[in-house]
Amino acid sequence: MPLGTTIHNIEFKHGKGGQLARAAGARAKLIAKEGKSATLRLPSGEVRLISQNCLATVGQVGNVGVTRKSLGRAGSKCWLGKRPVVRGAAMNPVDHPHGGVKEKLQLEEKKPATPWGYPALGRKSRKRRKYSDSLILRRRK
């Protein structure tokens, strides 16, 4: 493929099947090729190396305007199988770490947490010494 080509449905490992840039409207760009590896700019903004043997599809994924579509009412969302989102502060303490406090501004005392008690909003969850760290040239924004 020539440099600057827009691609999607990219394999990590040859023969494993496409895993990168598969969402609606997603695309990656081929920046450089050197030796057995190619440099890609992924939809997240990350720049990483991929083997040149890996397969990909030329072009951008369709259905670009899926996020601009107005559902109109709550029932339309239910038909798509999307469950209602409930704030943790509206729950009981048994259901969520934020639950059970009567005042609205409760997160001044507590750290934001997931329903399972893990830190949320700003904590990095990636492993510090992951095997693929050497393949990432620039982290996502």
PDB file of all heavy atoms in Angstrom, residues 31-59:
ATOM      1  N   ILE A  31       1.593   5.766   7.790  1.00  0.00           N
ATOM      2  CA  ILE A  31       2.527   6.895   7.806  1.00  0.00           C
ATOM      3  C   ILE A  31       3.864   6.535   7.173  1.00  0.00           C
ATOM      4  O   ILE A  31       4.403   7.293   6.368  1.00  0.00           O
ATOM      5  CB  ILE A  31       2.769   7.370   9.254  1.00  0.00           C
ATOM      6  CG1 ILE A  31       1.469   7.818   9.881  1.00  0.00           C
ATOM      7  CG2 ILE A  31       3.780   8.495   9.292  1.00  0.00           C
ATOM      8  CD1 ILE A  31       1.601   8.140  11.339  1.00  0.00           C
ATOM      9  N   ALA A  32       4.413   5.357   7.548  1.00  0.00           N
ATOM     10  CA  ALA A  32       5.753   4.997   7.066  1.00  0.00           C
ATOM     11  C   ALA A  32       5.884   3.480   6.989  1.00  0.00           C
ATOM     12  O   ALA A  32       5.138   2.747   7.633  1.00  0.00           O
ATOM     13  CB  ALA A  32       6.812   5.564   8.005  1.00  0.00           C
ATOM     14  N   LYS A  33       6.849   3.044   6.172  1.00  0.00           N
ATOM     15  CA  LYS A  33       7.191   1.627   6.080  1.00  0.00           C
ATOM     16  C   LYS A  33       8.701   1.512   6.156  1.00  0.00           C
ATOM     17  O   LYS A  33       9.419   2.196   5.422  1.00  0.00           O
ATOM     18  CB  LYS A  33       6.704   1.028   4.754  1.00  0.00           C
ATOM     19  CG  LYS A  33       5.205   0.941   4.638  1.00  0.00           C
ATOM     20  CD  LYS A  33       4.782   0.076   3.478  1.00  0.00           C
ATOM     21  CE  LYS A  33       4.768   0.871   2.188  1.00  0.00           C
ATOM     22  NZ  LYS A  33       4.207   0.115   1.069  1.00  0.00           N
ATOM     23  N   GLU A  34       9.180   0.660   7.075  1.00  0.00           N
ATOM     24  CA  GLU A  34      10.619   0.429   7.157  1.00  0.00           C
ATOM     25  C   GLU A  34      10.876  -0.999   7.612  1.00  0.00           C
ATOM     26  O   GLU A  34      10.300  -1.453   8.592  1.00  0.00           O
ATOM     27  CB  GLU A  34      11.283   1.434   8.116  1.00  0.00           C
ATOM     28  CG  GLU A  34      10.612   1.559   9.453  1.00  0.00           C
ATOM     29  CD  GLU A  34      11.251   2.626  10.320  1.00  0.00           C
ATOM     30  OE1 GLU A  34      12.412   2.421  10.711  1.00  0.00           O
ATOM     31  OE2 GLU A  34      10.586   3.632  10.586  1.00  0.00           O
ATOM     32  N   GLY A  35      11.710  -1.695   6.866  1.00  0.00           N
ATOM     33  CA  GLY A  35      12.005  -3.085   7.180  1.00  0.00           C
ATOM     34  C   GLY A  35      10.756  -3.946   7.091  1.00  0.00           C
ATOM     35  O   GLY A  35      10.044  -3.931   6.103  1.00  0.00           O
ATOM     36  N   LYS A  36      10.486  -4.688   8.169  1.00  0.00           N
ATOM     37  CA  LYS A  36       9.321  -5.575   8.190  1.00  0.00           C
ATOM     38  C   LYS A  36       8.123  -4.937   8.884  1.00  0.00           C
ATOM     39  O   LYS A  36       7.096  -5.578   9.044  1.00  0.00           O
ATOM     40  CB  LYS A  36       9.675  -6.873   8.910  1.00  0.00           C
ATOM     41  CG  LYS A  36      10.664  -7.733   8.153  1.00  0.00           C
ATOM     42  CD  LYS A  36      10.907  -9.038   8.876  1.00  0.00           C
ATOM     43  CE  LYS A  36      11.851  -9.926   8.083  1.00  0.00           C
ATOM     44  NZ  LYS A  36      12.086 -11.202   8.763  1.00  0.00           N
ATOM     45  N   SER A  37       8.257  -3.680   9.312  1.00  0.00           N
ATOM     46  CA  SER A  37       7.159  -3.060  10.046  1.00  0.00           C
ATOM     47  C   SER A  37       6.660  -1.787   9.369  1.00  0.00           C
ATOM     48  O   SER A  37       7.375  -1.147   8.608  1.00  0.00           O
ATOM     49  CB  SER A  37       7.593  -2.748  11.476  1.00  0.00           C
ATOM     50  OG  SER A  37       8.697  -1.882  11.467  1.00  0.00           O
ATOM     51  N   ALA A  38       5.417  -1.458   9.647  1.00  0.00           N
ATOM     52  CA  ALA A  38       4.793  -0.248   9.111  1.00  0.00           C
ATOM     53  C   ALA A  38       4.315   0.600  10.286  1.00  0.00           C
ATOM     54  O   ALA A  38       3.915   0.070  11.323  1.00  0.00           O
ATOM     55  CB  ALA A  38       3.616  -0.620   8.227  1.00  0.00           C
ATOM     56  N   THR A  39       4.354   1.907  10.108  1.00  0.00           N
ATOM     57  CA  THR A  39       3.901   2.827  11.148  1.00  0.00           C
ATOM     58  C   THR A  39       2.505   3.318  10.808  1.00  0.00           C
ATOM     59  O   THR A  39       2.259   3.777   9.695  1.00  0.00           O
ATOM     60  CB  THR A  39       4.861   4.032  11.256  1.00  0.00           C
ATOM     61  OG1 THR A  39       6.192   3.546  11.391  1.00  0.00           O
ATOM     62  CG2 THR A  39       4.522   4.888  12.450  1.00  0.00           C
ATOM     63  N   LEU A  40       1.593   3.228  11.790  1.00  0.00           N
ATOM     64  CA  LEU A  40       0.202   3.639  11.586  1.00  0.00           C
ATOM     65  C   LEU A  40      -0.180   4.724  12.585  1.00  0.00           C
ATOM     66  O   LEU A  40       0.283   4.702  13.723  1.00  0.00           O
ATOM     67  CB  LEU A  40      -0.745   2.461  11.802  1.00  0.00           C
ATOM     68  CG  LEU A  40      -0.633   1.252  10.903  1.00  0.00           C
ATOM     69  CD1 LEU A  40      -1.675   0.231  11.323  1.00  0.00           C
ATOM     70  CD2 LEU A  40      -0.836   1.640   9.465  1.00  0.00           C
ATOM     71  N   ARG A  41      -1.031   5.660  12.143  1.00  0.00           N
ATOM     72  CA  ARG A  41      -1.685   6.582  13.072  1.00  0.00           C
ATOM     73  C   ARG A  41      -3.099   6.069  13.264  1.00  0.00           C
ATOM     74  O   ARG A  41      -3.892   6.049  12.335  1.00  0.00           O
ATOM     75  CB  ARG A  41      -1.700   8.015  12.549  1.00  0.00           C
ATOM     76  CG  ARG A  41      -2.386   8.959  13.532  1.00  0.00           C
ATOM     77  CD  ARG A  41      -2.352  10.408  13.127  1.00  0.00           C
ATOM     78  NE  ARG A  41      -1.014  10.952  13.238  1.00  0.00           N
ATOM     79  CZ  ARG A  41      -0.295  11.413  12.205  1.00  0.00           C
ATOM     80  NH1 ARG A  41      -0.805  11.394  10.990  1.00  0.00           N
ATOM     81  NH2 ARG A  41       0.902  11.889  12.389  1.00  0.00           N
ATOM     82  N   LEU A  42      -3.422   5.637  14.478  1.00  0.00           N
ATOM     83  CA  LEU A  42      -4.701   5.021  14.785  1.00  0.00           C
ATOM     84  C   LEU A  42      -5.759   6.089  15.082  1.00  0.00           C
ATOM     85  O   LEU A  42      -5.421   7.248  15.316  1.00  0.00           O
ATOM     86  CB  LEU A  42      -4.539   4.077  15.976  1.00  0.00           C
ATOM     87  CG  LEU A  42      -3.527   2.948  15.756  1.00  0.00           C
ATOM     88  CD1 LEU A  42      -3.378   2.124  17.017  1.00  0.00           C
ATOM     89  CD2 LEU A  42      -3.934   2.066  14.597  1.00  0.00           C
ATOM     90  N   PRO A  43      -7.043   5.720  15.095  1.00  0.00           N
ATOM     91  CA  PRO A  43      -8.102   6.696  15.348  1.00  0.00           C
ATOM     92  C   PRO A  43      -7.969   7.414  16.687  1.00  0.00           C
ATOM     93  O   PRO A  43      -8.412   8.540  16.842  1.00  0.00           O
ATOM     94  CB  PRO A  43      -9.384   5.860  15.325  1.00  0.00           C
ATOM     95  CG  PRO A  43      -9.048   4.662  14.540  1.00  0.00           C
ATOM     96  CD  PRO A  43      -7.598   4.408  14.740  1.00  0.00           C
ATOM     97  N   SER A  44      -7.326   6.783  17.675  1.00  0.00           N
ATOM     98  CA  SER A  44      -7.156   7.401  18.990  1.00  0.00           C
ATOM     99  C   SER A  44      -6.079   8.475  18.982  1.00  0.00           C
ATOM    100  O   SER A  44      -5.946   9.231  19.938  1.00  0.00           O
ATOM    101  CB  SER A  44      -6.787   6.339  20.021  1.00  0.00           C
ATOM    102  OG  SER A  44      -5.542   5.750  19.681  1.00  0.00           O
ATOM    103  N   GLY A  45      -5.279   8.529  17.909  1.00  0.00           N
ATOM    104  CA  GLY A  45      -4.157   9.462  17.852  1.00  0.00           C
ATOM    105  C   GLY A  45      -2.840   8.778  18.161  1.00  0.00           C
ATOM    106  O   GLY A  45      -1.773   9.382  18.019  1.00  0.00           O
ATOM    107  N   GLU A  46      -2.893   7.528  18.592  1.00  0.00           N
ATOM    108  CA  GLU A  46      -1.680   6.778  18.904  1.00  0.00           C
ATOM    109  C   GLU A  46      -0.944   6.427  17.620  1.00  0.00           C
ATOM    110  O   GLU A  46      -1.554   6.120  16.594  1.00  0.00           O
ATOM    111  CB  GLU A  46      -2.071   5.501  19.654  1.00  0.00           C
ATOM    112  CG  GLU A  46      -0.911   4.638  20.068  1.00  0.00           C
ATOM    113  CD  GLU A  46      -1.361   3.447  20.891  1.00  0.00           C
ATOM    114  OE1 GLU A  46      -1.733   3.642  22.058  1.00  0.00           O
ATOM    115  OE2 GLU A  46      -1.352   2.328  20.345  1.00  0.00           O
ATOM    116  N   VAL A  47       0.391   6.480  17.667  1.00  0.00           N
ATOM    117  CA  VAL A  47       1.224   6.078  16.537  1.00  0.00           C
ATOM    118  C   VAL A  47       1.967   4.829  16.957  1.00  0.00           C
ATOM    119  O   VAL A  47       2.663   4.831  17.980  1.00  0.00           O
ATOM    120  CB  VAL A  47       2.225   7.204  16.158  1.00  0.00           C
ATOM    121  CG1 VAL A  47       3.143   6.744  15.042  1.00  0.00           C
ATOM    122  CG2 VAL A  47       1.476   8.454  15.752  1.00  0.00           C
ATOM    123  N   ARG A  48       1.798   3.742  16.188  1.00  0.00           N
ATOM    124  CA  ARG A  48       2.428   2.485  16.583  1.00  0.00           C
ATOM    125  C   ARG A  48       2.902   1.679  15.382  1.00  0.00           C
ATOM    126  O   ARG A  48       2.490   1.925  14.253  1.00  0.00           O
ATOM    127  CB  ARG A  48       1.496   1.661  17.461  1.00  0.00           C
ATOM    128  CG  ARG A  48       0.416   0.927  16.748  1.00  0.00           C
ATOM    129  CD  ARG A  48      -0.362   0.026  17.696  1.00  0.00           C
ATOM    130  NE  ARG A  48       0.325  -1.229  17.932  1.00  0.00           N
ATOM    131  CZ  ARG A  48       0.403  -1.839  19.098  1.00  0.00           C
ATOM    132  NH1 ARG A  48      -0.148  -1.336  20.160  1.00  0.00           N
ATOM    133  NH2 ARG A  48       1.031  -2.979  19.221  1.00  0.00           N
ATOM    134  N   LEU A  49       3.775   0.718  15.656  1.00  0.00           N
ATOM    135  CA  LEU A  49       4.321  -0.160  14.633  1.00  0.00           C
ATOM    136  C   LEU A  49       3.463  -1.423  14.514  1.00  0.00           C
ATOM    137  O   LEU A  49       3.008  -1.961  15.525  1.00  0.00           O
ATOM    138  CB  LEU A  49       5.750  -0.561  14.993  1.00  0.00           C
ATOM    139  CG  LEU A  49       6.789   0.548  14.991  1.00  0.00           C
ATOM    140  CD1 LEU A  49       8.099   0.039  15.577  1.00  0.00           C
ATOM    141  CD2 LEU A  49       7.024   1.077  13.594  1.00  0.00           C
ATOM    142  N   ILE A  50       3.274  -1.864  13.282  1.00  0.00           N
ATOM    143  CA  ILE A  50       2.546  -3.102  12.982  1.00  0.00           C
ATOM    144  C   ILE A  50       3.371  -3.840  11.935  1.00  0.00           C
ATOM    145  O   ILE A  50       4.005  -3.218  11.092  1.00  0.00           O
ATOM    146  CB  ILE A  50       1.143  -2.789  12.404  1.00  0.00           C
ATOM    147  CG1 ILE A  50       0.329  -1.954  13.369  1.00  0.00           C
ATOM    148  CG2 ILE A  50       0.392  -4.034  12.028  1.00  0.00           C
ATOM    149  CD1 ILE A  50      -0.453  -2.708  14.394  1.00  0.00           C
ATOM    150  N   SER A  51       3.331  -5.170  11.947  1.00  0.00           N
ATOM    151  CA  SER A  51       4.033  -5.947  10.937  1.00  0.00           C
ATOM    152  C   SER A  51       3.425  -5.693   9.549  1.00  0.00           C
ATOM    153  O   SER A  51       2.211  -5.549   9.410  1.00  0.00           O
ATOM    154  CB  SER A  51       3.943  -7.429  11.278  1.00  0.00           C
ATOM    155  OG  SER A  51       4.418  -8.207  10.203  1.00  0.00           O
ATOM    156  N   GLN A  52       4.283  -5.645   8.529  1.00  0.00           N
ATOM    157  CA  GLN A  52       3.789  -5.413   7.164  1.00  0.00           C
ATOM    158  C   GLN A  52       3.043  -6.618   6.606  1.00  0.00           C
ATOM    159  O   GLN A  52       2.328  -6.509   5.614  1.00  0.00           O
ATOM    160  CB  GLN A  52       4.958  -5.048   6.235  1.00  0.00           C
ATOM    161  CG  GLN A  52       5.432  -3.632   6.425  1.00  0.00           C
ATOM    162  CD  GLN A  52       6.260  -3.142   5.245  1.00  0.00           C
ATOM    163  OE1 GLN A  52       5.993  -3.504   4.107  1.00  0.00           O
ATOM    164  NE2 GLN A  52       7.251  -2.330   5.539  1.00  0.00           N
ATOM    165  N   ASN A  53       3.174  -7.792   7.268  1.00  0.00           N
ATOM    166  CA  ASN A  53       2.447  -8.979   6.822  1.00  0.00           C
ATOM    167  C   ASN A  53       0.968  -8.912   7.188  1.00  0.00           C
ATOM    168  O   ASN A  53       0.153  -9.620   6.613  1.00  0.00           O
ATOM    169  CB  ASN A  53       3.051 -10.237   7.459  1.00  0.00           C
ATOM    170  CG  ASN A  53       4.455 -10.483   6.974  1.00  0.00           C
ATOM    171  OD1 ASN A  53       4.827 -10.055   5.898  1.00  0.00           O
ATOM    172  ND2 ASN A  53       5.251 -11.153   7.788  1.00  0.00           N
ATOM    173  N   CYS A  54       0.631  -8.082   8.160  1.00  0.00           N
ATOM    174  CA  CYS A  54      -0.750  -7.996   8.636  1.00  0.00           C
ATOM    175  C   CYS A  54      -1.655  -7.429   7.551  1.00  0.00           C
ATOM    176  O   CYS A  54      -1.288  -6.519   6.827  1.00  0.00           O
ATOM    177  CB  CYS A  54      -0.829  -7.109   9.883  1.00  0.00           C
ATOM    178  SG  CYS A  54       0.005  -7.821  11.285  1.00  0.00           S
ATOM    179  N   LEU A  55      -2.873  -7.972   7.479  1.00  0.00           N
ATOM    180  CA  LEU A  55      -3.835  -7.545   6.475  1.00  0.00           C
ATOM    181  C   LEU A  55      -4.675  -6.385   6.984  1.00  0.00           C
ATOM    182  O   LEU A  55      -4.869  -6.223   8.188  1.00  0.00           O
ATOM    183  CB  LEU A  55      -4.742  -8.714   6.108  1.00  0.00           C
ATOM    184  CG  LEU A  55      -4.050  -9.947   5.535  1.00  0.00           C
ATOM    185  CD1 LEU A  55      -5.067 -11.045   5.289  1.00  0.00           C
ATOM    186  CD2 LEU A  55      -3.326  -9.615   4.241  1.00  0.00           C
ATOM    187  N   ALA A  56      -5.187  -5.587   6.051  1.00  0.00           N
ATOM    188  CA  ALA A  56      -6.080  -4.475   6.382  1.00  0.00           C
ATOM    189  C   ALA A  56      -6.966  -4.210   5.174  1.00  0.00           C
ATOM    190  O   ALA A  56      -6.687  -4.655   4.059  1.00  0.00           O
ATOM    191  CB  ALA A  56      -5.277  -3.234   6.736  1.00  0.00           C
ATOM    192  N   THR A  57      -8.031  -3.464   5.405  1.00  0.00           N
ATOM    193  CA  THR A  57      -8.950  -3.088   4.336  1.00  0.00           C
ATOM    194  C   THR A  57      -8.728  -1.629   3.986  1.00  0.00           C
ATOM    195  O   THR A  57      -8.625  -0.789   4.887  1.00  0.00           O
ATOM    196  CB  THR A  57     -10.408  -3.287   4.795  1.00  0.00           C
ATOM    197  OG1 THR A  57     -10.535  -4.615   5.313  1.00  0.00           O
ATOM    198  CG2 THR A  57     -11.375  -3.100   3.664  1.00  0.00           C
ATOM    199  N   VAL A  58      -8.656  -1.323   2.702  1.00  0.00           N
ATOM    200  CA  VAL A  58      -8.440   0.059   2.263  1.00  0.00           C
ATOM    201  C   VAL A  58      -9.731   0.853   2.426  1.00  0.00           C
ATOM    202  O   VAL A  58     -10.822   0.367   2.104  1.00  0.00           O
ATOM    203  CB  VAL A  58      -7.972   0.091   0.790  1.00  0.00           C
ATOM    204  CG1 VAL A  58      -7.830   1.522   0.311  1.00  0.00           C
ATOM    205  CG2 VAL A  58      -6.655  -0.650   0.644  1.00  0.00           C
ATOM    206  N   GLY A  59      -9.609   2.075   2.934  1.00  0.00           N
ATOM    207  CA  GLY A  59     -10.757   2.961   3.074  1.00  0.00           C
ATOM    208  C   GLY A  59     -11.172   3.159   4.515  1.00  0.00           C
ATOM    209  O   GLY A  59     -10.505   2.709   5.444  1.00  0.00           O
TER     210      GLY A  59
END
